[in-house]
Amino acid sequence: MSDPTIESLKTFLRQIHPVEDAILTEYVSRWNIHSEPRKVLLTPAGKTERYLYFVTEGVQKSYYLNEGKEHVIAFTY
């Protein structure tokens, strides 16, 4: 039985562009499941994000700071 998180990622990717199942399976095999509690800062100011996240539960907020003011770029659900 396959992991529901991995299946969700595969379904999402198939909606963007059709991909052979063998290629898609190889691609998603390189992803890691990562979980954080609420209100955790994933990338501190001044650091470069090195990961791509696929949100399966909860909300992720992307923003930047300018003169101390928060500017929201996106919410990911």
Side-chain angles (χ1 to χ4, degrees), residues 8-35:
S8 294
L9 177 57
K10 288 169 109 176
T11 299
F12 174 77
L13 293 171
R14 281 188 192 108
Q15 291 173 354
I16 297 170
H17 186 76
V19 179
E20 292 178 29
D21 195 54
I23 293 170
L24 192 54
T25 299
E26 173 67 22
Y27 176 72
V28 299
S29 73
R30 299 175 189 275
W31 285 63
N32 296 313
I33 295 175
H34 180 80
S35 181

Side-chain angles (χ1 to χ4, degrees), residues 1 9 13 18 24 26-27 49 51 58 60-61 63 74:
M1 183 172 209
L9 177 57
L13 293 171
L24 192 54
E26 173 67 22
Y27 176 72
E49 180 55 67
Y51 299 97
Q60 178 184 21
K61 177 174 74 173
Y63 66 93

Side-chain angles (χ1 to χ4, degrees), residues 34-50:
H34 180 80
S35 181
E36 289 289 348
R38 290 174 47 99
K39 303 216 181 225
V40 168
L41 184 62
L42 295 177
T43 310
K47 298 292 181 182
T48 301
E49 180 55 67
R50 304 246 182 242

Side-chain angles (χ1 to χ4, degrees), residues 1-4 7:
M1 183 172 209
S2 60
D3 184 306
E7 288 305 313

Side-chain angles (χ1 to χ4, degrees), residues 46-74:
K47 298 292 181 182
T48 301
E49 180 55 67
R50 304 246 182 242
Y51 299 97
L52 178 64
Y53 298 95
F54 177 70
V55 178
T56 58
E57 186 177 314
V59 178
Q60 178 184 21
K61 177 174 74 173
S62 297
Y63 66 93
Y64 68 94
L65 295 174
N66 184 16
E67 297 180 9
K69 186 173 179 185
E70 188 177 290
H71 299 272
V72 176
I73 299 168

